[in-house]
Amino acid sequence: MTSAQLRRAAWAAGAVILAGIAILTADWVIASIRAPRDDRTVKALQQKVKEDPAVSAKLDAEQKRITDARRARRIRDRAVGWTLIACSAIFLGAVKRLIARSAPKAVEMSRIAAPISTGKKRKRKRKTCCGAHAHDPAAALDLGFVDEAVAQHGRGREAAIPLLQAIQQHYRYLPDEAMRRLCEITDITPAEIAGTSSFYGQFRSTPVGKHIVRVCHGTACHVAGARQISDELRRRLKIPEGFDTDADRMFTLEEVACLGCCSLAPVLMVDEHTAGRLTPATAAAALEEVEEKEPA
Amino acid sequence: MPRALRALSVVVLLLAAAAALCAQAIEYSRPVETAPQQETIGGGYKTPAVQKPLPRGWWLDILDVVLLCAAMGASVWIVIKRRKRRWLVGLSIASLAYFGFYREGCICPIGSIQNVVVALADPKYSIPMVAIAVFFMPLVVAVFFGRAFCGGVCPLGAMQELVVIKPLRVPKRLDQGLGLLKYVYLALAILFALKPALTRDFLICRFDPFVGFFRFTGAPYMLATGGVFLIGGMFIGRPYCRYLCPYGGLLSWCSRLARKGVTITPDKELDCGLCTEACPYGAIDQMRAVGRKCLYCARCYASCPCDGELAQAKKALVGIGGAQ
């Protein structure tokens, strides 16, 4: 069946269900209005029969009418009931199939990445933390610090590494604008800067998150499933392949060689806080803990 | 230690069952023999059937018990051994048809709580054997395998199971808080059942939201409540079972001891977390199944990329691709 057919079936079944419920409700309302009135008529007729036996035919007719009406309602309601069950089955079947079709694996993954249990808190927090990063930091970068650093460390080639370190410490990464400025006001060539900054692991050219998460991938942690931990965190933080920081710049994920506490494997560090004996779920919880501690 | 506990709990359950059995050993008779009978009245008089539902033949009662046993066995086998969600849906539909629509939702273990309570408290109350069997069997099964009764056997559960369309995750705190409601309900039901015979009230049966559907009749407000539960159940998995069912409370106590229930083990699965997403009842915590919350729906297994319908489908697909 095509999706269009399924959708049509679901709508039709839903309409029939609504109609069925309407019929049942109307039936019930009418019956609950009629019942006391009918009872009163019968009682009045019974009184009359005591005085005038000729009325008994009328009483019989009245009682037969009431019984027939009630029996008809019963049969009608049963039929509506079965129709409702059949239509609900069609409706549920169609809707379930539609949902299964409209939710391919990509959507599933995004649901994994943002568990609803913590969704609300996260979203609220996210907004406040987004406020800090709302404007692209590169756009309105204050380059004054570069000048200060150059004044302190000198303009020669030998000052390249201390300069880069100072800049990285200040901006928490090496922004392109700062590098350009550095080339302008020093003797260091762009090639030298690019070469130096890409050679050493300590320099990074993309903005870093508020918290650094170091997932240990040493031998013990690797054996204990560090890969699963990293994958899980990536999924949760929605960090795409080839990136290491989430969209809100809250967390930067690093895979490090060893944190030196193999007995706690698999282990990770969020800034200075260590969490060990992790499962994918507790690893994510460790990040959430940090996030919750954030002043709102 | 858990083994000893399990044995102990089974002994306790059996003793309670025996006590209930003794309590019901009253010969049941209707003093209608003294009244004028159809034959003595003559003139083609027929005694009208005034009792509804009519009492069932004892072998039909036995059949019910046997079917309940068989259905629980099937539920355990399908979920634990075969891991087939589809078969379980089939079992749910069958149970819904038989225990629900055909037997009109009676007798059910949920309501039998009250019968057992009354039988233990009131020596004049006669409880049918079926009620005892129906009350204790799912509990004994729960001690070993978890809440197998809830998945695919209980007609109320089956009805809600089938309407789950797009379950939302209930926040953990809220889930736990609402989960306490069922114990309050259980306590209330027992209190009202313990009242003297004339003021006694079977709350669970009176406020059963789904039995009206099985019987095609019922108090309008209960039918409406049932409708609300079903519509809500499309988005919150099995709300009655998780938050209100008093028998679910008993089952979750018993299933704490279970060792052979639904498990998610790292040697068979991946620890990938897809099962946590698939579980509409929040019964998977930190990638491990929580037996006392697990309602035996087998969705986790169906969603498992390692060992489940998904994996089997993949294998079949690869097989076809390889053949071509």
Side-chain angles (χ1 to χ4, degrees):
Chain A
M1 271 226 258
T2 65
S3 295
Q5 278 172 322
L6 281 178
R7 210 162 292 141
R8 226 173 295 141
W11 276 112
V16 175
I17 290 172
L18 288 181
I21 292 172
I23 291 174
L24 289 182
T25 319
D27 241 3
W28 169 65
V29 170
I30 292 170
S32 53
I33 293 170
R34 253 190 209 163
R37 208 195 289 158
D38 286 345
D39 287 348
R40 245 177 288 137
T41 335
V42 168
K43 230 169 228 165
L45 280 173
Q46 278 169 339
Q47 284 296 329
K48 264 187 205 163
V49 169
K50 279 182 193 160
E51 295 153 15
D52 178 12
V55 192
S56 84
K58 205 180 165 194
L59 175 65
D60 284 348
E62 184 68 11
Q63 269 173 336
K64 192 172 180 314
R65 182 190 67 76
I66 293 169
T67 314
D68 283 347
R70 288 184 182 170
R71 194 175 285 161
R73 183 194 165 204
R74 193 180 146 79
I75 292 169
R76 186 167 58 234
D77 285 2
R78 272 196 101 82
V80 172
W82 282 114
T83 319
L84 276 183
I85 290 171
C87 286
S88 318
I90 294 171
F91 178 78
L92 289 170
V95 171
K96 277 184 190 178
R97 211 155 287 179
L98 275 174
I99 286 179
R101 275 183 202 179
S102 69
K105 281 284 130 353
V107 177
E108 293 277 304
M109 283 312 222
S110 73
R111 280 184 60 208
I112 288 169
I116 296 158
S117 58
T118 55
K120 263 193 183 159
K121 251 186 236 161
R122 280 181 94 112
K123 260 175 213 152
R124 194 152 36 78
K125 289 264 162 69
R126 280 270 159 88
K127 254 179 205 153
T128 58
C129 82
C130 280
H133 296 278
H135 53 284
D136 194 358
L141 205 64
D142 176 23
L143 294 175
F145 179 79
V146 180
D147 300 345
E148 282 172 34
V150 170
Q152 195 189 336
H153 294 284
R155 303 178 58 240
R157 286 181 58 206
E158 70 285 352
I161 288 178
L163 277 172
L164 289 179
Q165 279 172 334
I167 291 171
Q168 163 129 333
Q169 200 170 13
H170 183 78
Y171 297 106
R172 307 193 73 211
Y173 75 111
L174 301 177
D176 271 352
E177 283 75 15
M179 294 303 101
R180 274 192 211 110
R181 178 82 184 148
L182 198 61
C183 298
E184 281 168 23
I185 60 174
T186 59
D187 300 336
I188 313 166
T189 63
E192 277 164 349
I193 287 183
T196 313
S197 67
S198 62
F199 178 78
Y200 291 106
Q202 60 174 307
F203 296 124
R204 42 179 301 130
S205 55
T206 50
V208 68
K210 212 164 178 183
H211 305 282
I212 310 262
V213 181
R214 298 185 181 86
V215 182
C216 178
H217 277 253
T219 312
C221 291
H222 174 78
V223 170
R227 176 74 9 232
Q228 268 103 307
I229 307 284
S230 280
D231 288 349
E232 171 76 7
L233 294 183
R234 269 180 179 279
R235 267 203 304 262
R236 290 239 174 178
L237 299 171
K238 295 190 195 172
I239 302 176
E241 201 66 26
F243 291 84
D244 61 357
T245 306
D246 63 332
D248 299 332
R249 302 221 181 108
M250 268 302 267
F251 293 105
T252 293
L253 219 58
E254 282 180 0
E255 294 178 6
V256 299
C258 189
L259 290 176
C261 43
C262 302
S263 59
L264 292 179
V267 64
L268 63 75
M269 281 182 82
V270 189
D271 300 329
E272 297 309 308
H273 169 78
T274 311
R277 300 227 171 87
L278 298 167
T279 68
T282 52
L287 295 203
E288 269 158 30
E289 229 170 77
V290 171
E291 222 172 347
E292 269 161 31
K293 272 185 208 153
E294 282 296 295
Chain B
M1 195 50 200
R3 184 172 291 178
L5 261 178
R6 223 170 303 144
L8 184 72
S9 61
V10 168
V11 168
V12 168
L13 283 176
L14 290 180
L15 276 181
L21 262 180
C22 295
Q24 71 96 42
I26 303 168
E27 202 49 46
Y28 179 68
S29 65
R30 270 186 146 228
V32 283
E33 285 81 27
T34 53
Q37 296 296 304
Q38 200 166 299
E39 299 81 37
T40 51
I41 295 169
Y45 178 79
K46 280 215 167 73
T47 318
V50 288
Q51 203 181 356
K52 196 187 184 291
L54 289 169
R56 272 158 70 84
W58 70 269
W59 66 270
L60 281 174
D61 282 344
I62 300 297
L63 179 72
D64 282 351
V65 175
V66 170
L67 280 177
L68 184 70
C69 274
M72 280 193 293
S75 175
V76 170
W77 181 69
I78 289 172
V79 174
I80 308 284
K81 286 276 171 229
R82 307 295 312 188
R83 302 189 156 196
K84 288 240 194 282
R85 162 95 185 132
R86 279 180 191 200
W87 295 14
L88 193 90
V89 172
L91 181 66
S92 299
I93 293 172
S95 298
L96 184 61
Y98 184 78
F99 295 110
F101 286 100
Y102 175 65
R103 295 292 295 118
E104 301 194 333
C106 210
I107 179 161
C108 78
I110 306 173
S112 70
I113 295 172
Q114 305 155 120
N115 300 69
V116 171
V117 166
V118 176
L120 290 175
D122 182 358
K124 281 190 188 143
Y125 182 78
S126 173
I127 181 174
M129 298 249 271
V130 192
I132 296 171
V134 157
F135 176 74
F136 283 101
M137 279 186 326
L139 292 179
V140 172
V141 170
V143 169
F144 292 99
F145 299 102
R147 301 169 68 168
F149 171 75
C150 298
V153 184
C154 177
L156 308 186
M159 200 163 194
Q160 294 171 78
E161 178 69 52
L162 294 175
V163 302
V164 174
I165 289 182
K166 209 171 173 55
L168 303 175
R169 190 87 64 82
V170 182
K172 218 172 173 185
R173 287 268 171 78
L174 185 66
D175 191 52
Q176 279 171 343
L178 287 173
L180 293 177
L181 276 181
K182 56 177 177 265
Y183 299 109
V184 177
Y185 194 20
L186 176 65
L188 273 179
I190 290 176
L191 273 182
F192 272 82
L194 281 177
K195 283 185 162 186
L198 281 178
T199 54
R200 183 177 294 153
D201 195 355
F202 278 17
L203 281 193
I204 301 174
C205 299
R206 196 140 72 86
F207 296 108
D208 184 329
F210 302 116
V211 80
F213 296 138
F214 299 148
R215 295 176 184 172
F216 288 96
T217 180
Y221 66 94
M222 275 332 289
L223 286 174
T225 314
V228 169
F229 268 111
L230 285 186
I231 292 169
M234 291 178 181
F235 308 104
I236 297 167
R238 295 176 72 161
Y240 183 77
C241 305
R242 284 159 75 194
Y243 304 130
L244 277 176
C245 179
Y247 197 66
L250 296 182
L251 284 172
S252 76
W253 283 342
C254 287
S255 59
R256 276 166 188 267
L257 297 171
R259 281 287 167 276
K260 292 195 171 141
V262 172
T263 49
I264 293 163
T265 44
D267 56 330
K268 269 191 180 169
E269 290 88 10
L270 263 182
D271 267 3
C272 67
L274 282 171
C275 46
T276 314
E277 282 309 300
C279 182
Y281 312 126
I284 298 180
D285 188 29
Q286 304 202 347
M287 314 247 172
R288 299 290 175 264
V290 182
R292 68 199 149 81
K293 282 188 183 170
C294 173
L295 297 175
Y296 260 68
C297 71
R299 277 191 182 83
C300 44
Y301 292 150
S303 73
C304 184
C306 231
D307 181 28
E309 271 161 33
L310 212 62
Q312 283 156 14
K314 198 170 79 184
K315 260 178 224 157
L317 208 66
V318 171
I320 293 165
Q324 286 169 348

